[in-house]
Amino acid sequence: MTAHLDPRRWAVLAILSGSLLLIAMDTTILNVAFPSLVGDLRPSSVQQLWIIDIYALALSGLLVTAGALGDRWGRKRLLLMGFGIFAAASLMAVFATEAWQVIAARALLGVGGAAIMPATLSILRHVFTDARERAFAYAVWATVFGGGMALGPVVGGLLVEQQGWHSAFLINIPVALVVIALGARLIPESRQPRAGRWDWWGVAQSVVGMLALAGGIKQLGKGGPADPLAWALLVLAAVTLTIFVRRQLKLPQPLLQVRLFANRSFTIAAVSIFLGMIALGSALFLVTQWFQYGQGYTPLEAGVRLLPAPLGLMATSMTTPALMHRFSIRYVLGGGLLLMTAGLALPWFLGRSGALGYPEMALALAVIGCGVGIATTAASVTLMASAPAKDVSGAAAVEETCYELGAAMGVAVLGSVATALYRAHLPDLGIDGPADQAVRDSVGEAAHVASGIGGPAGSALLGKVAEAFTAGMTPTFLLAAVLPLAAAVLAWAKIPRDLRPTEHAH
C-alpha cells in the first residue's frame, strides 16, 4: 500500500499539529506571563531580554544539526526524544525561583524544540506523497504554527490570571507526554541514511555562526551602531557561516545542502518567511505590552484582544491551498505579503488621524493575521516543494530557522527600536535617581514604579509612560511594514510567472 493511501497519515497530521502547537505557543506565551514573572523574580533588563529571546535563539541555532540528526537516527526517534527534553525543561521552569533558572529552562526548551521541529515537516513529506494533499498538510502546519504563536498570549493570559506565571510552563508537560504516547504507536519511522562520519566541524560552525548572528543583531538593537560587541559578533557570524557554507559545498554528504538556495523559488520563499516573521514577532510583542501597560488590561484581557490576528491567520491559511490551485504562486505569496504590509502600517496612519484605541488595533491585527496566513502558507508549500525528497530535512531546518530566528529578531531589533523611541518621547517626569532610570529602562519597569508610587501621582506617571510607549510603537510598526513589502516586490519580480508548487510531487 502506498503511503498516500495509508489512513494513518491523517492521524499523523493530527499528532504533529498538536506537537507543533505546543512549540509555537512557547515562542510567545511568555509575552503575557512576562509582567507577572518580572514582578515575582525581578530580573534585570538584560535578564528580561534573555528570558524572552533565549528559547528562539537556542532553537534556531540547533535546527540545522537537528535536521541532519533526524536523517541519520530516525525522525520519529528524534521527535520523541525532543518531547522528553521539552517535558523535563518545563518541569525545571515550574520550580524556578531565580531569573537564571528560567533562562536555563527556556534554553533547554529550545534544545527540545530544535529536535522536534525539523521532524514534523520531514515526516509530513514522507507520509503525504500526493502534491495536493501535501499542500493541505503544509497549510495545516502553517495554520497551527502561526496560530500557536498568536494564541500563546491568550492561553498564557488565562493561565497566568488563574494560576500564576509558572502555569505557562506547566501546560507543556501533559501535552508532551500525550504526544510521546500517541506518536510512539502511530508515527512511522523514516530516515535518510548518510554515508561517512558525523560532521562535528559542521555542527560547531553552524551553531556558533547562527548564535553569533542572532546575538550580534540583538546587541546591535540594544547598544546601537556604535556598540563594538555587536560588530564583533556579526563579524564572527559572517566568518563562521562563510566557512560553513564553503565547506558544505565541498562535502559529498553535507550537513546542510546549501545548494538548495540556488533554486530561486526556494530562496525567495525562505526570505519571505524570515522577513514576515521579523515583522509579526515584533508586532505581537509590542501589542501585548501596549495592551497591558498602555491600555491597562489584565493578562487575560490582553490575550483575548489579540484574537483577531490568529483568527484571521487560521481562516486564510486553510483557504490558501485553493488559491494556489487557481493562481500562480507569485500572485498568492505577493498578495499575502502586501496584505500584511497594509495591516502593519494601519496603526501609524490611524494614530495620526486621532487617538489609537482597541477598535483600530483590532482591525490592524485582523489584516495582519490574514496576510500572514496567506503568505506563510504559500511560502511553506513553495519552499518544501522546491526541495528534492533526499534534502527534505535540510529544507525543513531552513524553513523553521527562518520562522524562529525571524520572530526573535523582531523582538530584539524592532523591540529595541520601539524602546529607544519610547525613551525619546518621555517628558520630564519629576522624579529622580533610580526611579527615573527604571522608568526610562523599559515600560515594564515604568509600570512597576508607577504602581509603587500609587495614587494620583502614580496614575499620572503611568499615563505619561503609556503615551510615550504608543508614540514609539506606531512608527516601529510602520518600519516593520517595510519588510513584507520588500519580500512582496522580490516575489513579484523573481518567482516564475507560471509556478504552481501544488501540481507536482517530488
Side-chain angles (χ1 to χ4, degrees), residues 15 22 80 83 87 172-185:
I15 294 169
L22 187 66
L80 300 181
F83 269 106
N172 295 339
I173 299 171
V175 176
L177 295 179
V178 169
V179 171
I180 290 172
L182 293 177
R185 291 189 59 188

Side-chain angles (χ1 to χ4, degrees), residues 243-263:
I243 294 172
F244 172 76
V245 169
R246 291 172 63 88
R247 186 169 179 275
Q248 295 300 300
L249 287 169
K250 296 176 182 178
L251 294 176
Q253 296 291 335
L255 193 70
L256 174 67
Q257 183 55 269
V258 294
R259 286 190 174 87
L260 288 169
F261 288 97
N263 185 310

